[in-house]
Amino acid sequence: MIVNEDFLSNNVSRNESSLVVSTQRCYFLDSLNNYEAGGLLYIESIVTTVINFIGTFIASFGNGIILLTFWKSKQLRSKSQLFLWCLAFADFVTGSVVQPFYGAYKIAYITGKVSTMTCVFRVILETVAWFSAALSCALVAAIISERYLALHYHMRYHVVVTTKKVVILIAFLLVNMAILSLSRFAMTDVTPFFYVNIAGILFSLSTLIICYWKIYKHVRRHFRQIQDHGSRESRRKDVQRLKKSSRNMAYVALLYIISYMPFTCVLCVYLSCGFTSSVEVAYDVTRTVAFMNSSWNPFIYFWKLKELREAVKKVMRYTS
């Protein structure tokens, strides 16, 4: 049993200076540490709860508009934009499911009103959060890889990278990330799960860095060739367009690296030291930073992608 009446009456206690919450196990999840009123964990929980509730409205609204725009605008059907569409979906899930459930379960522990539903909220949070985070990392790596292939193959790009292949890859990622996030139910020891996810995050971040470095070198070499030997105007525009597109995706990639590296480091500390009070604080703070990625991504799309920006304006005018 997850939570029972005796647990609620005997293990949640209050006094004038502190709040102690039981460390009762919740399915496959680690027991939480005691929340002492005025303590670091207590204060951190309040701050991250407020931030996540704010992020809920921003991420849900912003990514909802992006999803609606992709749905309404038939011209937004290029291969890179299909990846963006799916990335906006992952961010929308984070804003509409992950962040509100984070706030719900944290409020229960902060106020001492722990119940069976508190455990349910936490299970939903942890399961969906790993799904959306893993999907986001994989999609950003796929977007940068797609931009590199566009530069590398150039004239053969539309033969090598087809819409059918992109759709199959997206479906593959959706199914596998869902299976991965649910795999925590299949084991009592979650250590292998964390090792797999750490490896996946590091692989995605390494792919971002390597592909963008190759893009940078490729574009620089082409510009030198154009300057030294001249080129057709159409070729010059193609390179310029790809350079701009790759640079725009670099903003998204850089923010993902900044967001997920601290969280990855905390996971490594967790595997080494266990789920101590300090690790729980760091875990909550760094994953809140990772969740906030879902809030600022729509603004980056709107700022850097002119075609999408114009499509959003049209959709907003039409719906209003």
Side-chain angles (χ1 to χ4, degrees), residues 68-85:
L68 180 63
T69 300
F70 276 119
W71 181 262
K72 294 285 187 179
S73 306
K74 293 183 179 180
Q75 70 271 20
L76 298 178
R77 293 292 185 272
S78 70
K79 290 172 274 289
S80 59
Q81 287 164 343
L82 287 176
F83 282 125
L84 275 181
W85 192 356

Side-chain angles (χ1 to χ4, degrees), residues 10-11 15 20 23 30 48 53 70 73 75 88 106 110 124 156 163 204 219 221 235-236 260 308 311 316:
N10 297 330
N11 290 295
N15 57 41
V20 179
T23 57
D30 290 286
T48 54
F53 274 135
F70 276 119
S73 306
Q75 70 271 20
K106 277 292 186 180
I110 292 170
I124 294 173
R156 295 180 55 221
T163 301
S204 295
V219 172
R221 182 172 66 252
R235 173 61 174 160
R236 187 188 300 271
Y260 281 91
L308 179 59
M316 292 300 291

